[in-house]
Amino acid sequence: MTSATADGLRKTFDAGAPIAAFLIGHGLRGTIAGAAAAIAVALVIACWRLLHGRQIRLIGVSLGIVLIHSLFAYHTGEGRDFFLPDLLMNGVFTVAFGGSLLTGRPMTGLISHWSGSEVPTWYREQDRLRLHCKLTLLWLGLWCLHLALLLPLYAADAVVALGIASITTGKPAVLVCAVLSWRVVRRGAASAAPLSPAVATAQDKEPHS
């Protein structure tokens, strides 16, 4: 097992375990108990990861996500609202990724530039622009698929089905798309034709670690 695969499995477990705890608590004692169980499991995982050297920032983000989901459920008293943040975020991402295609600045290109994988003028190179249009379409399809799956379950108040769908198609699918996008961007950069003078100059000016 590669380190990337192991890391992906760890992240999937970290995301799925609090959801499973919520479903168990919700089924046994109701929404409040489910939210408390999710927070308790997230805290145990956070402490375990902290002891094993994981970055505090990443631990804080993971724990914060569970807290937000739990607060939604606690505030409304409805189990399905534990998954409402997922629906809202998928809606935001759908609009953001779709809008980025309309503006000619596909979202994956912007994210790749922000992470240091692309130069500021990537959108002027037609090959790179087409690549990021395809990748952004892939992500847009993922967000739309999530909405198409979760919205009917939410409307039907199918809490268990929402949990199963979130565990099996939420974080795992995002991780797969993230790894695929990263590899395609890196491979495309390595095999790309010589850059134009403007792009080459911009790349030379990029800070090197």
Side-chain angles (χ1 to χ4, degrees):
M1 181 184 297
T2 64
S3 60
T5 301
D7 186 57
L9 291 175
R10 282 193 297 269
K11 290 178 179 178
T12 300
F13 173 81
D14 291 356
I19 297 175
F22 173 80
L23 293 178
I24 294 172
H26 177 269
L28 293 176
R29 304 285 296 185
T31 300
I32 305 304
I39 293 173
V41 169
L43 284 170
V44 171
I45 292 174
C47 292
W48 179 262
R49 297 305 184 201
L50 185 62
L51 289 173
H52 286 75
R54 191 178 181 187
Q55 294 182 9
I56 295 178
R57 179 177 59 84
L58 296 177
I59 294 173
V61 170
S62 298
L63 183 58
I65 290 173
V66 176
L67 288 173
I68 290 172
H69 283 71
S70 299
L71 286 173
F72 267 76
Y74 175 81
H75 179 71
T76 65
E78 294 190 26
R80 65 178 181 174
D81 285 334
F82 183 84
F83 306 97
L84 184 56
D86 287 340
L87 281 169
L88 295 176
M89 288 305 300
N90 274 280
V92 170
F93 288 148
T94 298
V95 172
F97 277 69
S100 72
L101 288 171
L102 295 177
T103 62
R105 298 290 190 276
M107 186 63 70
T108 59
L110 297 174
I111 294 173
S112 297
H113 171 225
W114 175 78
S115 66
S117 301
E118 286 286 4
V119 297
T121 52
W122 58 271
Y123 51 86
R124 296 179 185 173
E125 295 293 322
Q126 290 303 310
D127 289 342
R128 305 302 291 169
L129 181 60
R130 282 193 294 268
L131 172 66
H132 285 293
C133 284
K134 292 177 181 178
L135 288 176
T136 299
L137 278 173
L138 172 67
W139 281 96
L140 179 60
L142 177 64
W143 306 133
C144 290
L145 177 62
H146 283 172
L147 286 175
L149 179 63
L150 296 178
L151 274 175
L153 296 176
Y154 181 85
D157 198 15
V159 177
V160 174
L162 278 167
I164 294 173
S166 295
I167 293 173
T168 57
T169 66
K171 190 68 168 286
V174 171
L175 286 172
V176 169
C177 280
V179 171
L180 176 63
S181 298
W182 180 79
R183 289 182 176 177
V184 169
V185 169
R186 291 294 297 272
R187 184 167 60 247
S191 61
L195 298 175
S196 66
V199 176
T201 301
Q203 191 171 30
D204 289 338
K205 294 180 179 179
E206 286 288 297
H208 298 283
S209 55

